[in-house]
Amino acid sequence: MARTARELLETTTGTLAPDPQANRLVPLVARGAAGRDTLAALALEQRWVIAADRRAFAYLAHRTAETPRTAAYFTALAEGEAVAGQRLEAFVEACGVDEARSVAYTPLPGCQAYPAYVAWLALNGSPAETVLALHANFSAWGGYCATIAGALRRHYGFSDEACGFFDLFAAPDPELEHRTTAAVQEGLDAGHLSEDLVRRYGLLLQSYERMFWHTLWESDRGRAGQVD
């Protein structure tokens, strides 16, 4: 029996849910044990990620102009990255990053593998499958952001403004959920949605997401001189 878009989104998100033990940095932040230099690195890496993802989503919107609901989804993602970039600056400032440090910073390859793959999807990915894979990854990302936002207030004394970047992603976005469902349904109606391809895209996104956090965790542990 054919599944609806909502059913497919739910099953895909469940299937691609990451191992709760895979992300070692977020628990470190959650208990206030991550160094402030690590938070600064997180802020600076996100600057690079946001800029890359915004362009990738805008290109996907251009690619899918003939499928309006899918194009609307990618347009919403690109617009969301623009808002995220604005909110990120308060976090960057709270981490004590000045212009000189920002200019001198060299991004870490392990952190930038994720946006590099998103860019690959923008150029090569099948759009409907990309929507599903991104949605599954965003579900985990939202949980990480909620945890970090709470920890920044509780352990690091960050203001609401400084936490605004993480708050943006921590709360569900009903409008984006609607656009996601519509885009997936558009793919189903066209009859060219491969669940095998969704799984491949999703597993790679999950791996690169895990690499992002693990790279920062390794950097933090190296600065602390600890082995966990």
Side-chain angles (χ1 to χ4, degrees):
M1 184 176 66
R3 287 193 282 175
T4 67
R6 175 46 51 191
E7 290 170 339
L8 189 54
L9 283 162
E10 290 175 354
T11 57
T12 300
T13 299
T15 300
L16 294 175
D19 178 352
Q21 307 302 317
N23 189 327
R24 304 176 81 173
L25 181 71
V26 170
L28 206 64
V29 177
R31 61 178 187 265
R36 288 183 177 266
D37 281 347
T38 300
L39 297 181
L42 171 59
L44 291 167
E45 294 292 340
Q46 279 298 327
R47 266 188 177 167
W48 285 74
V49 173
I50 289 169
D53 283 357
R54 183 183 180 186
R55 295 186 187 97
F57 296 145
Y59 185 75
L60 277 161
H62 172 73
R63 272 186 63 199
T64 57
E66 295 183 0
T67 49
R69 286 177 284 175
T70 304
Y73 168 78
F74 288 122
T75 297
L77 291 188
E79 292 171 349
E81 293 297 329
V83 174
Q86 294 168 0
R87 292 201 183 189
L88 180 67
E89 291 312 302
F91 178 55
V92 173
E93 184 178 346
C95 291
V97 176
D98 59 17
E99 184 65 19
R101 184 176 181 182
S102 177
V103 170
Y105 185 77
T106 299
L108 301 170
C111 290
Q112 295 307 310
Y114 176 90
Y117 183 61
V118 173
W120 184 94
L121 288 173
L123 292 171
N124 304 289
S126 179
E129 288 84 349
T130 298
V131 172
L132 277 158
L134 286 169
H135 177 78
N137 193 71
F138 291 160
S139 296
W141 163 249
Y144 299 151
C145 286
T147 299
I148 291 172
L152 291 177
R153 291 178 169 95
R154 184 167 56 253
H155 297 299
Y156 297 91
F158 281 25
S159 67
D160 288 344
E161 183 182 11
C163 298
F165 169 77
F166 299 100
D167 290 339
L168 177 66
F169 295 105
D173 183 342
E175 178 60 26
L176 184 60
E177 287 288 329
H178 173 74
R179 291 187 184 279
T180 307
T181 304
V184 172
Q185 190 61 56
E186 191 170 50
L188 286 171
D189 292 344
H192 53 65
L193 201 156
S194 165
E195 292 188 44
D196 286 340
L197 204 53
V198 172
R199 182 176 179 277
R200 291 175 196 167
Y201 291 172
L203 288 175
L204 282 167
L205 279 172
Q206 184 186 108
S207 295
Y208 292 130
E209 175 83 24
R210 182 167 61 248
M211 188 184 297
F212 176 92
W213 296 106
H214 189 74
T215 298
L216 289 171
W217 174 82
E218 283 188 320
S219 179
D220 183 272
R221 297 296 83 191
R223 279 191 287 268
Q226 298 179 13
V227 178
D228 196 351

